[in-house]
Amino acid sequence: DAKTTQPPSMDCAEGRAANLPCNHSTISGNEYVYWYRQIHSQGPQYIIHGLKNNETNEMASLIITEDRKSSTLILPHATLRDTAVYYCIVRVYDRDDKIIFGKGTRLHILP
Amino acid sequence: EPEVTQTPSHQVTQMGQEVILRCVPISNHLYFYWYRQILGQKVEFLVSFYNNEISEKSEIFDDQFSVERPDGSNFTLKIRSTKLEDSAMYFCASSRDRGYEQFFGPGTRLTVL
């Protein structure tokens, strides 16, 4: 079973920052936090991952709390194309084979 | 930018028929995966493949399923005798190494009638 908890849905106005929370209170020391998203009927798309430091790439930023029990994915300027289901996943980098997807958060970007 | 490709995009078959779903992973990737997603449900792991053998499989991946890397570029999923409940989107993915980020293809929609 997925080891993360996410709200089932969220809305965000176009052009604003979308902040998607994730709780992973049982995360182990060697588990990373990964984020993927799935735009309607397409294959999941890798967004970002991190261990304990905040991470940023061209798509998003990942903020992980100091105790690592929760994290937030930030899409800095959401567009309509960011409407998707966002999955927060914990897994061991360099060891875990499969990805266990939960139900994720359905993000609606409102025009 | 390299990407995973899958063919066909949509496959319709009769119950009991064999189907082969094809994938071309990213060229320098070593690990290959199949997932499926029944309409309205979660994405589910089926199997992972490395060095020409299965490294992990789920309970879904029973004797009706098989995978193969017939040449240096293709990765296939075969369902020997399809059932109605096999109707789903099937996603192929690949990763540079074990545990690394996985890159998914666009999927094959399998419809079993």
Side-chain angles (χ1 to χ4, degrees), chain A residues 34 36 38 95 97-98, chain B residues 37 48 55-56 98-99 102:
Chain A
Y34 284 76
Y36 283 77
Q38 187 176 24
R95 190 196 75 186
D97 240 351
K98 60 185 179 288
Chain B
Q37 186 174 32
S48 59
S55 56
E56 187 173 356
R98 188 173 196 175
Q102 294 179 19

Side-chain angles (χ1 to χ4, degrees), chain A residues 43-64:
Chain A
Q45 178 188 22
Y46 165 78
I47 301 173
I48 199 167
H49 74 279
L51 181 64
K52 55 183 179 181
N53 297 322
N54 298 338
E55 302 287 344
T56 296
N57 63 20
E58 64 279 3
M59 290 183 67
S61 294
L62 173 60
I63 308 298
I64 303 173

Side-chain angles (χ1 to χ4, degrees), chain A residues 10-20 37 39 45 58-59 74-86 107-111:
Chain A
M10 292 182 63
D11 293 337
C12 178
E14 189 177 17
R16 304 297 295 268
N19 296 276
L20 292 96
R37 73 180 182 183
I39 297 169
Q45 178 188 22
E58 64 279 3
M59 290 183 67
I74 301 172
L75 308 178
H77 304 286
T79 71
L80 296 177
R81 287 180 297 177
D82 293 320
T83 293
V85 178
Y86 287 76
L107 177 66
H108 300 275
I109 305 300
L110 307 174

